[in-house]
Amino acid sequence: MWFLAWREIRHGRVRFGLTALLVGLVAFLVFMLTGLAVGLGDAGVSGLRRLPADVVVYAAGSEKTLSRSSLPAADGARIAAVPGVSSVQPIGQTMAQAKGPGASLPVALMGVEPSAPFAAPGLGRGGIVLDRTLEGKARPGDVLTVQPGGVRLTVAGFADLGSLQHTAVAQVPLDEWRRVQPSAVGAYLVTTSGDARGISAAVPGTDAVTKSEAVEAVPGYSAETGTLNLIRGFLLAVTALLTGTVFWIFTMQKEPSLAVLRATGARARLLVGSYLVQVALTTVLGVAVGLAFVAGIGAAMPAGTFSLPGGSAALSAVLLGALALGSSAASLRRLLTVDPLLSLGRNA
Amino acid sequence: MSTPLELRGVRHSYGDVEVLHGVDLVLKPGEVTALLGPSGSGKTTLLAVAGGLLRPTSGHVSVFGEDIAGLRLDRVARRVAFILQAGSLIPYLTVEENLLARRVVAGYKITRADRARAADLLGAVDLAAKSHRHPDELSGGERQRACVAQALYTGAPVLLADEPTASLDRVRGRAVMRLLADHARNTSASVLIATHDERALDLVDRTRSIEDGRLLTP
């Protein structure tokens, strides 16, 4: 099958090359949107994703939003008493502005116990640790004034804290956070072998959800990723339509050759195999072109907006390949029903 | 030895129109038979039925004693090869590759011996210098000779040719007919040539005439 497939591609290299380029352009858009969905999504929720928890306990009525949630300190002990719960960590979160000598930085201020396992190294009384993306805008030892509250904190260092709602996370001790946001606790991070509903039921006034539900509930996250994924879905459909149509036309154009091959005894396996090799090669080349484009343009995108991990890229590539092969299968019937009599001329 | 190709009482209709009316024909080993008749007389339909491309409405076609009605087309093609007309070369293959494709279609891998045999046959039809050209780089006559070489290359014991000299001048036409006649004699192949070109009939062993779908008595 390679014999026929490759020689036809070689002879029609402009035709197949243009098809691969078209697939490549659509693949590029698919990869770009995948990268944007991952990158922007990550910028919206990575600060929450990185916190170790099975369940996040919010105040009832807070719409599962950290910055709106406020719980009494006593709830910590109540949650810890729920069967299955092995660890409870209080946190608080407020959107704030940190003014320093060099710049005014918007931050997602996160109050944590300095003894918590996820507290940034060096976090202590009067200190603030900034996400690494803010390196260069502040230096260790800088004194930042956090608004609201006018609380003065010293930069203790930088860590991979992520971001929330596209704003870099800054960790402060919970006591310092309370000076900014007068509240006992914002929410609790819980490690448990039980389920979230059990905690809500056991501790009145709380709304406990799994961490993935908490991530989905971050304001704007679902709408943002949903929109990008919808566009990505449309692009995948365009890929299917494009490859299906192009190879349908190719098949129609080569009916006389197919008739000759059938008349000389070519079996279905050879014809289908050659055809699918062509579709696969064109798609692989197109996907490679798309990846090459996206590698170049993705590198030039602003930090925090684009991220294309290997797994996401591979999944998109497999989807593109599967759709190309699936849609081109529409031509198989035509391929297999070409009348060999055409090889003798229609007036036989 | 069983008969290479035998048609018994073969009829064929396109819809309500019968174009072959009970044809009986036997091809013998090593013999070239010319099937003469004007356009529309049923020559090509007879070839198509004989080669398994069309099923007879009634009657039987057998190859070496086996009724081809029960055979898949690829099995028939191993024993019966068509010499197609000039336009039927595969355009994306070179002349040599058009020959080699017959081996690929038959399920074989290409070997050096296959290439050497292809080169010999292309030399025999005076196309050695153009073996790496594509069909659209050849003249009509060259393409027709390539089609002949392609069919000979299969080594099939029965060859069916549809107007193999149609696009050739007298000298080239005779050369092709001589090639087919020599092939038949050297390999005991049976060759049936549908033609209305009577310039080289001295090179065939027998002629049969067809008119309105009926073979005339010799």
Side-chain angles (χ1 to χ4, degrees), chain A residues 7 10 257 264-267 348, chain B residues 14 45 72 74 91 97 102 105:
Chain A
R7 281 162 180 79
R10 193 182 59 187
S257 297
T264 54
R267 297 186 65 178
Chain B
Y14 293 114
T45 299
R72 280 198 321 252
D74 60 299
E97 288 165 351
R102 295 286 182 113
V105 160

Side-chain angles (χ1 to χ4, degrees), chain B residues 107-123:
Chain B
Y108 298 102
K109 288 197 170 175
I110 306 298
T111 63
R112 270 189 193 180
D114 293 328
R115 289 185 188 279
R117 206 159 67 79
D120 286 347
L121 273 169
L122 289 173

Side-chain angles (χ1 to χ4, degrees), chain B residues 10 34 56 96 98 138 145 157 191 195 210 217-218:
Chain B
V10 167
E96 183 200 39
N98 263 284
L138 304 182
R145 281 181 278 142
V191 181
T195 184
I210 184 169
T217 309

Side-chain angles (χ1 to χ4, degrees), chain A residues 3 38 148 171 197 212 226 262 272 298 313 341 343:
Chain A
F3 180 91
V38 174
Q171 272 193 5
R197 278 176 298 180
S212 57
R262 292 208 66 214
V272 172
L341 201 57
S343 63

Side-chain angles (χ1 to χ4, degrees), chain B residues 34-116:
Chain B
L35 184 64
L36 297 171
S39 293
S41 59
K43 299 191 300 291
T44 305
T45 299
L46 194 153
L47 288 187
V49 170
L53 302 187
L54 281 176
R55 282 180 181 273
T57 313
S58 66
H60 297 282
V61 180
S62 57
V63 179
F64 293 101
E66 195 171 3
D67 194 329
I68 66 170
L71 293 177
R72 280 198 321 252
L73 191 51
D74 60 299
R75 299 284 304 277
V76 178
R78 289 185 184 189
R79 291 176 245 184
V80 183
F82 281 94
I83 300 173
L84 299 170
Q85 290 188 352
S88 63
L89 291 169
I90 296 173
Y92 54 83
L93 300 179
T94 64
V95 173
E96 183 200 39
E97 288 165 351
N98 263 284
L99 267 64
L100 297 174
R102 295 286 182 113
R103 291 288 289 168
V104 174
V105 160
Y108 298 102
K109 288 197 170 175
I110 306 298
T111 63
R112 270 189 193 180
D114 293 328
R115 289 185 188 279

